[in-house]
Amino acid sequence: MKLVDDLRAKPAVQKVEKFIPAIAFLGGFSWDSITLGQMVQGSDLIFLLAYYLGAFILVLLLSAHLEHPEGWTRERLKAAALAQTKAASFAKNSNGFTASATATAKAPSQATEKLSTFGAAASKFAAAQAQISSKIPTAVANQAKAVADKASAEARAVADKAAAQAKEVAGKAGAAAERLAKNMGYESTAIPKNAIVVEHRFLDREWSDVWRQRFSWAVQFCFGSLFSALVVCYFKSSGSLASFVLVILLAVLLVGNEFLQKRYESFGVSLAFFCLLGTMFMNFTLPHLVHRIGFIWFFLSTILSLGICVGIWKISRRSRKVLIAPIAISVCLTIAYLMNWVPPVPLVLKHQIVCQNFDKTDYSCDADAPSFWQKVGLQSPSVHRLPDNEVYVLSSVYAPAALKAEIEYRWYYKDPKTEKYKLTDKISSGRMLLNGGREQGFRSFSRKKNIPAGRYRVETAFKDGAVIGARTFEVFDEPLDSTGYVRKVLE
């Protein structure tokens, strides 16, 4: 450990240490971005479950508090009675020492009494001396004064010694009482007449500052890991501005998590974040287990997460006020889902192509050769439609193995007068029933014939639900020559 301490004491190492949290944060987030959402493995869910269970245990530990600070458990009453018995035995065995201490303690008063008697005699002697001062020699007077000073000094010495011995006896008795109280775990061994008998509970305690800080650091780590994974998963599933707002909120909380370690020591704050992460985590995990997505499963995710929070609250025996935030979060998430603001995890749009002359056998079609600005994403794709040709939108949507979900295509046309997109068609069919498990995604298509030239936006969405992805493009009635088209294949 000395080697590590010496190494950390170096200025260069201290500078690097400042960047370790940021490096760990960016590294974990980058790894999640690369691995998650492409092909969700069972190990991914196991890791997320481990983080969730770790957060559950830590939040439960942070809920510990003294429910009755003035209360006495049966164990404490039993220990107090035993302590009183030991105290009586201690007093009995130390009678000799106590008697000696008492005699020593009386010594100052006896010495003081003698000194007073001597003082009175000295006063009488002084008075007599005044009467016969002319008859008594000076040498005799000086001798009497020396005797009086010596007696006074001896009396003071006896008094100081007795006081020191009494103080030592009191100190030993106090130390013995303190050791006895420490062994019991309580400040007092005296049982009050109105003692409240309470049940002993593991969480009926106050953690030290050191342990509370350790728990909050561990909670921050678990929350950060969950936030990182969920931001990636929900981002890849978000296909609309409304659902992207929720992703931004999660991203803000992900960054803010790095500064909330001290806040997590509060049980109410930890429970609120645990409820939010629990609902989002279960909304991602349940579809993998039941192979279905939809409102019923999101509602069950919300109820299950809230139920776990209520269970923690019951075990903690805290005030009902700590449940206000979890209930509010659950209600807001439910409303957001009904408003299609929650991305339809775990569905992920892999690819989209806008084209014509579609061949269903290999999902190939003719698309306009992209310009430089279209390649870099600064310009929307175009479709120079040949006469009587249909315009196709091809999509591949990834979903976990065995998951089934029905998708639909929503066609919007931009009105040249209002410059606003208007919904013109919602297209769905039995062939659009998604079957998960294909790494490249489930392929489907939508088509429109004899559509007028103009700008369009086509959304690939979970049926009657949130948008998975969207493509904006422009249709022209002016065909290109043969070199203006490229043959594309949707993998």
Side-chain angles (χ1 to χ4, degrees), residues 354-391:
V354 181
C355 56
Q356 51 189 325
N357 295 327
F358 172 64
D359 185 354
K360 188 177 179 181
T361 57
D362 61 353
Y363 269 76
S364 63
C365 58
D366 292 329
D368 287 9
S371 65
F372 171 78
W373 299 112
Q374 289 173 338
K375 288 180 180 179
V376 298
L378 296 178
Q379 187 177 351
S380 301
S382 61
V383 179
H384 286 77
R385 187 168 59 89
L386 296 169
D388 299 327
N389 271 9
E390 298 173 313
V391 175

Side-chain angles (χ1 to χ4, degrees), residues 87-365:
S89 176
F90 174 79
K92 182 178 180 181
N93 294 332
S94 59
N95 279 338
F97 178 77
T98 304
S100 175
T102 303
T104 306
K106 289 181 179 179
S109 60
Q110 292 174 354
T112 304
E113 183 179 353
K114 291 179 180 180
L115 184 61
S116 300
T117 304
F118 181 80
S123 299
K124 293 180 179 179
F125 177 78
Q129 185 184 20
Q131 294 177 1
I132 58 174
S133 57
S134 58
K135 301 178 182 180
I136 298 178
T138 303
V140 177
N142 291 338
Q143 186 178 4
K145 183 179 179 182
V147 172
D149 290 343
K150 183 178 180 181
S152 178
E154 290 178 352
R156 288 194 188 93
V158 172
D160 291 343
K161 184 178 179 180
Q165 290 179 345
K167 184 176 180 180
E168 183 181 358
V169 171
K172 290 182 178 180
E178 185 177 352
R179 285 196 301 272
L180 191 59
K182 185 176 180 181
N183 292 334
M184 282 186 61
Y186 300 95
E187 294 180 357
S188 174
T189 60
I191 304 175
K193 296 180 179 179
N194 57 344
I196 301 174
V197 181
V198 297
E199 179 184 355
H200 175 71
R201 295 169 51 249
F202 174 75
L203 294 176
D204 190 11
R205 64 176 67 213
E206 287 289 345
W207 299 112
S208 66
D209 292 339
V210 174
W211 278 105
R212 186 167 289 276
Q213 186 181 40
R214 289 173 180 172
F215 291 150
S216 61
W217 274 114
V219 165
Q220 184 185 35
F221 172 76
C222 292
F223 283 179
S225 301
L226 287 171
F227 270 127
S228 178
L230 293 176
V231 166
V232 173
C233 294
Y234 277 78
F235 172 75
K236 292 189 174 184
S237 296
S238 63
S240 66
L241 180 61
S243 60
F244 192 65
V245 169
L246 180 62
V247 176
I248 293 176
L249 175 62
L250 288 175
V252 170
L253 293 176
L254 169 63
V255 176
N257 177 71
E258 302 299 315
F259 307 95
L260 294 175
Q261 182 265 330
K262 196 66 179 177
R263 294 284 186 181
Y264 289 146
E265 293 184 8
S266 169
F267 171 63
V269 174
S270 297
L271 188 65
F273 275 85
F274 181 73
C275 181
L276 172 64
L277 287 168
T279 303
M280 307 300 278
F281 163 70
M282 292 179 187
N283 181 41
F284 176 78
T285 304
L286 275 185
H288 290 79
L289 301 178
V290 301
H291 311 308
R292 292 288 188 277
I293 64 172
F295 173 74
I296 183 63
W297 301 112
F298 181 85
F299 183 72
L300 288 177
S301 301
T302 306
I303 292 298
L304 181 58
S305 176
L306 181 60
I308 293 174
C309 292
V310 172
I312 295 176
W313 165 76
K314 276 188 169 295
I315 295 174
S316 70
R317 298 185 182 181
R318 293 269 189 160
S319 169
R320 287 190 177 91
K321 292 181 180 179
V322 299
L323 288 178
I324 295 177
I327 293 174
I329 290 172
S330 301
V331 171
C332 290
L333 287 177
T334 303
I335 294 174
Y337 188 91
L338 293 173
M339 299 294 291
N340 293 330
W341 295 345
V342 178
V345 290
L347 304 182
V348 178
L349 182 66
K350 304 285 286 187
H351 302 287
Q352 268 189 327
I353 300 176
V354 181
C355 56
Q356 51 189 325
N357 295 327
F358 172 64
D359 185 354
K360 188 177 179 181
T361 57
D362 61 353
Y363 269 76
S364 63
C365 58

Side-chain angles (χ1 to χ4, degrees), residues 2-40:
K2 187 177 183 301
L3 177 63
V4 175
D5 294 337
D6 293 341
L7 186 64
R8 293 184 64 186
K10 295 182 178 180
V13 177
Q14 291 178 352
K15 291 181 179 179
V16 174
E17 278 187 329
K18 295 179 180 179
F19 296 96
I20 288 179
I23 294 172
F25 165 75
L26 293 175
F29 184 74
S30 301
W31 175 253
D32 289 338
S33 300
I34 295 171
T35 57
L36 289 173
Q38 298 295 328
M39 188 70 176
V40 179

